[in-house]
Amino acid sequence: MLWDDRILADFQRGRIDLFYDRVYPPLLLYALRQLGTQHGLLAEDCVQDAVFQAWSRRDRFAGIGALKSFLYNTIRNSAINLHRKDSARERYFSYTGKHSAEDHILVADLEAQALIFNAIRELPDRLREIVELSFVEGLKNREIAERLGISLSSVNKFKAESLQILRRKIGSLSVILLCVGAFPPPPQV
């Protein structure tokens, strides 16, 4: 079970790594639902802030339900505040006639894409090839194995290793967005 008392016990003992492995992905997905996938970096910030606030109060949680409720409510409240700020910013831009907030989001998306594709280019040749075939060309693992003349288990192993390296370099959110196809492939030069 995802949310159990062991999570709280580990969290209170300072085992943040186990907490992140099990709880961070669903919290991030919740934040993405609250903010929208176009605000992925903000969603990651909301989760990080919620975890930090919970960490500073970790001895005060009586049970896992209290911790879970605190984290989800903190993320929801952060998302509401961000929506309010975004609405105020939009009103300001429309009133002044200056650049819209979408211009800033477009720049952030382009920067995130560049970060992801630069990290992919830095992968060792075989790992980079498998990531490109999988996420850029959209091939299934079996198709990759056939194309490269390697076993399916090798493709799975190389793909897992690639994603682990990318997570370390660019963070979990960017890897999630890459996997779900939120970014188009980079322009061919």
Side-chain angles (χ1 to χ4, degrees):
M1 177 176 215
L2 181 65
W3 292 95
D4 59 30
D5 288 325
R6 288 182 314 198
I7 295 240
L8 179 60
D10 287 341
F11 189 66
Q12 289 175 331
R13 280 186 297 214
R15 295 292 312 267
I16 194 87
D17 56 325
L18 297 174
F19 176 83
Y20 265 102
D21 287 345
R22 292 188 54 200
V23 175
Y24 188 82
L27 292 175
L28 183 57
L29 289 175
Y30 177 73
L32 286 168
R33 278 195 301 262
Q34 296 295 310
L35 292 168
T37 56
Q38 72 274 20
H39 298 294
L41 296 174
L42 292 174
E44 199 163 2
D45 287 344
C46 286
V47 174
Q48 293 287 347
D49 290 343
V51 170
F52 177 75
Q53 288 180 38
W55 180 257
S56 64
R57 299 175 172 91
R58 67 185 174 274
D59 295 329
R60 298 182 198 164
F61 296 108
I64 191 65
L67 174 61
K68 181 179 177 181
S69 177
F70 177 84
L71 289 166
Y72 280 103
N73 284 329
T74 302
I75 291 168
R76 188 191 72 237
N77 291 338
S78 294
I80 290 168
N81 288 336
L82 287 169
H83 283 302
R84 285 182 187 149
K85 288 178 186 176
D86 195 42
S87 294
R89 188 177 311 117
E90 283 296 325
R91 284 193 306 275
Y92 171 77
F93 285 136
S94 67
Y95 176 74
T96 62
K98 294 184 180 179
H99 298 287
S100 71
E102 284 106 20
D103 294 338
H104 301 291
I105 292 170
L106 177 61
V107 170
D109 282 347
L110 293 174
E111 289 173 357
Q113 286 179 27
L115 179 70
I116 289 171
F117 290 110
N118 285 336
I120 291 171
R121 280 188 210 109
E122 293 173 3
L123 288 171
D125 291 341
R126 179 60 90 179
L127 300 181
R128 183 184 69 249
E129 184 177 24
I130 288 175
V131 167
E132 288 173 349
L133 290 172
S134 178
F135 300 113
V136 177
E137 291 187 30
L139 297 180
K140 304 286 184 211
N141 289 356
R142 185 166 307 286
E143 296 169 321
I144 295 169
E146 290 170 6
R147 184 181 282 189
L148 299 178
I150 60 176
S151 70
L152 182 60
S153 63
S154 292
V155 171
N156 291 333
K157 184 183 100 186
F158 289 140
K159 196 170 172 182
E161 185 180 343
S162 301
L163 293 175
Q164 189 175 39
I165 292 169
L166 290 173
R167 272 188 208 103
R168 278 196 312 267
K169 286 186 176 191
I170 59 178
S172 298
L173 171 67
S174 297
V175 173
I176 290 169
L177 293 175
L178 172 68
C179 292
V180 297
F183 293 129
Q188 298 298 318
V189 182

